[in-house]
Amino acid sequence: MKRPLKRRSFVALATTGLATTALAGTARAQGSYPDKPITMVVPAPPGGGTDLVARLYSDLLSQELGVQVIVDNKGGGNGNIGTALVARAKPDGYTILMQYSAYHSANPALIKDLNWKPDDFVGVAMGAMAPHVIVVAKKVPVDDLKSFIAYAKANPGKLNYASVGAGSVPHLGGVLLNKAAGLDMVHVPYKGSGPATADIVAGQVEVLIVTPPAVSGHIRNGNVKALALASDKRLPSFPDIPTTAEAGLPGFTLDGWFALFAPAGTPQPIVDKLNAAMVKIGKMEAVVARANQLGTVLKDWPAAQMDSFAKGEVETWGKVIRDNNITIAQ
């Protein structure tokens, strides 16, 4: 005669069975990922650097993953509207973020009571890195950085420098350029590099420090004048643009980046699958050629390296902001 199961034994078996079922379900979900469209949120308007990098990858990601990858521009709030949306999304790999470096690295130090935090995300892959180029409107009567600095010093408070948003790298770069060269330019924030670029082409503002993807076509067409690249070396795609050191302002360097993130808690197999697809795409000949044309650099980092790099950037830019007393109002 079989002895009846004690209640404690029954509960233990039931709990074990439920756990096993849940784990099996999770494994099946990860194993079949993705099996529906993925939304790639861009926390900036169309036409800017973040949007360009997102669209560089989205169609090819669709091919690699076998499902549609939809780019969804959620600009506004200095990048915080789209960023917060992904921070609150279910961590299942179906809502991901193509993030701009300053939104991720500077906003936490600039904005009190931010509605998201860097720990809400896990780094997936580097989309592209880009040094910043200093461009001026055609109407500005200079053709090199030394002449521009002299002109700006002779016109204190009269020149406006655009940025792609308060707290962006172009904003921080303008503050640091003012400090490094002893200038008094006025900050004019825009909602993304698209509107900022349109206004410098139209001559509504005099200066813009931005990543090359946003202005590469305008530089080639002569719609703006490129004075210097804020980098240690020239870009192959723009061999005639001197570095800031060559142009007479050594030590002034600015790098921006555009990277893919997922909500914290996204299963590692899903993160790794997205990373593998991004890295594969980044090695495609056509993508490399397009990245060079835009003036960006591709990195085939694993997810752990991307995540570690992003954490370091939060610390680095937070220190720059605090040390220079930079505020949104500057």
Side-chain angles (χ1 to χ4, degrees), residues 28-309:
R28 284 195 299 273
Q30 293 176 21
S32 62
Y33 174 85
D35 59 7
K36 62 180 181 180
I38 296 170
T39 298
M40 180 188 290
V41 174
V42 173
T50 316
D51 183 64
L52 286 171
V53 173
R55 294 179 191 279
L56 178 66
Y57 283 94
S58 59
D59 287 345
L60 293 170
L61 271 176
S62 296
Q63 296 175 27
E64 287 297 317
L65 298 173
V67 298
Q68 188 177 10
V69 177
I70 303 164
V71 174
D72 186 11
N73 294 86
K74 295 290 185 183
N78 200 43
N80 294 316
I81 292 175
T83 301
L85 186 153
V86 181
R88 294 190 295 267
K90 186 176 179 181
D92 57 5
Y94 289 102
T95 303
I96 55 181
L97 176 72
M98 182 59 78
Q99 181 65 301
Y100 169 51
S101 55
Y103 293 160
H104 188 83
S105 307
N107 281 1
L110 282 169
I111 301 174
K112 187 179 179 181
D113 300 324
L114 197 63
N115 58 351
W116 60 271
K117 57 186 183 299
D119 288 346
D120 290 334
F121 300 93
V122 59
V124 175
M126 178 60 75
M129 295 191 74
H132 282 62
V133 61
I134 303 171
V135 300
V136 295
K138 287 176 66 175
K139 71 176 185 179
V140 180
V142 302
D143 293 307
D144 59 71
L145 187 59
K146 282 186 177 180
S147 298
F148 171 74
I149 290 174
Y151 178 74
K153 284 183 175 180
N155 293 276
K158 296 180 181 179
L159 301 185
N160 296 317
Y161 76 91
S163 81
V164 302
S168 64
V169 174
H171 172 200
L172 302 180
V175 171
L176 295 177
L177 181 58
N178 270 343
K179 184 175 181 179
L183 309 182
D184 182 21
M185 299 186 297
V186 179
H187 176 222
V188 181
Y190 287 80
K191 293 181 178 180
S193 56
T197 300
D199 264 14
I200 194 167
V201 170
Q204 298 300 313
V205 290
E206 286 78 22
V207 190
L208 175 63
I209 304 172
V210 72
T211 51
V215 290
S216 56
H218 294 297
I219 292 172
R220 291 191 173 92
N221 294 334
N223 296 328
V224 295
K225 293 183 281 190
L227 303 184
L229 190 73
S231 178
D232 294 329
K233 59 183 180 180
R234 298 192 184 199
L235 283 172
S237 52
F238 293 101
D240 296 331
I241 301 178
T243 66
T244 41
E246 293 171 333
L249 195 63
F252 185 80
T253 59
L254 286 171
D255 283 316
W257 47 264
F258 310 95
L260 192 66
F261 289 83
T266 300
Q268 193 61 44
I270 290 177
V271 171
D272 290 340
K273 189 164 189 175
L274 287 168
N275 174 269
M278 289 283 291
V279 169
K280 183 178 179 180
I281 291 167
K283 293 180 178 178
M284 294 179 179
E285 186 176 335
V287 173
V288 172
R290 177 60 173 157
N292 288 338
Q293 182 184 36
L294 292 172
T296 59
V297 178
L298 304 178
K299 302 286 186 181
D300 59 351
W301 292 350
Q305 186 172 357
M306 178 63 239
D307 192 61
S308 176
F309 172 80

